[in-house]
Amino acid sequence: MIGEAELRALAAGRWTAPLLALLHEEKGARFARLLAALGLPRDSLARTLAQAQEAGWIARNPGHGHPLRPDYLLTAKGEELGAVASRVMAARRRLGLASDSLPRWSLPIVARLEPGWARFGTLRDALAPVTPRALSLNLQQMIAGDIVLRRVEPDFPPTPLYGLAPAGRALAESLAV
């Protein structure tokens, strides 16, 4: 598993994982290629690139300028994260998961549920600073996408528990280094 901070950073932006996966798979890319492959607006790509550069995951190619040289390359720090992003994107494609079935907190939730079932409060505490509302919305979305399962223990009061569905387990395997 990658570190929790890297996992949160990878899941923080909608385009971060697809961007790093593409740069990893193609060993770098030009801006126009990224724009065409990811299908996002120019300003969103520019913002995502700037955030990845600020995090130290990508760098401008010092030798760019030739039509065959990529504009952006993964740094040594970004290579490991790019490999994980590539595996996550491959698992998402293999499972047929739409991009909206993996909300912002989905990867940290999958990592936390990988060992077994957990209560809502345990997840909330482990994923701080997630708000209860954000966690609840993410869990609902992931349940609807068949990534997470919810069961209710017949205690008094009844205790809801969350665990990984088969698709969630496949995503958890893709996070392992």
Side-chain angles (χ1 to χ4, degrees), residues 9-170:
L10 182 63
R14 178 178 180 188
W15 299 107
T16 306
L19 171 74
L20 293 177
L22 185 64
L23 289 173
H24 177 74
E25 292 162 5
E26 297 188 1
K27 307 291 184 228
R30 297 184 64 75
F31 188 88
R33 168 68 181 128
L34 293 170
L35 201 59
L38 297 174
L40 69 158
R42 292 179 76 82
D43 61 332
S44 294
L45 178 57
R47 192 171 35 256
T48 304
L49 286 168
Q51 289 168 349
Q53 279 182 298
E54 189 175 308
W57 301 329
I58 65 170
R60 294 286 305 230
N61 186 353
H64 85 287
H66 186 278
L68 299 178
R69 289 191 187 120
D71 289 340
Y72 297 95
L73 299 169
L74 288 175
T75 63
K77 184 178 176 183
E79 277 295 327
E80 181 182 350
L81 206 54
V84 171
S86 184
R87 288 194 306 269
V88 167
M89 297 306 290
R92 195 185 96 189
R93 286 188 296 271
R94 189 175 58 254
L95 296 167
L97 298 174
S99 61
D100 60 348
S101 63
L102 293 176
R104 177 177 181 204
W105 289 95
S106 60
L107 295 179
I109 289 170
V110 166
R112 282 293 172 183
L113 291 177
E114 195 269 330
W117 295 82
R119 295 178 65 166
F120 183 88
T122 305
L123 286 172
R124 183 195 61 224
D125 294 344
L127 298 175
V130 67
T131 63
R133 183 179 191 289
L135 180 58
S136 177
L137 290 173
N138 276 257
L139 285 169
Q140 288 172 10
Q141 226 174 333
M142 293 172 74
I143 290 168
D146 293 326
I147 298 168
V148 170
L149 299 171
R150 182 180 188 265
R151 75 174 188 214
V152 179
E153 292 291 312
D155 299 334
F156 185 79
T159 307
L161 296 173
Y162 299 92
L164 292 178
R169 283 193 291 278

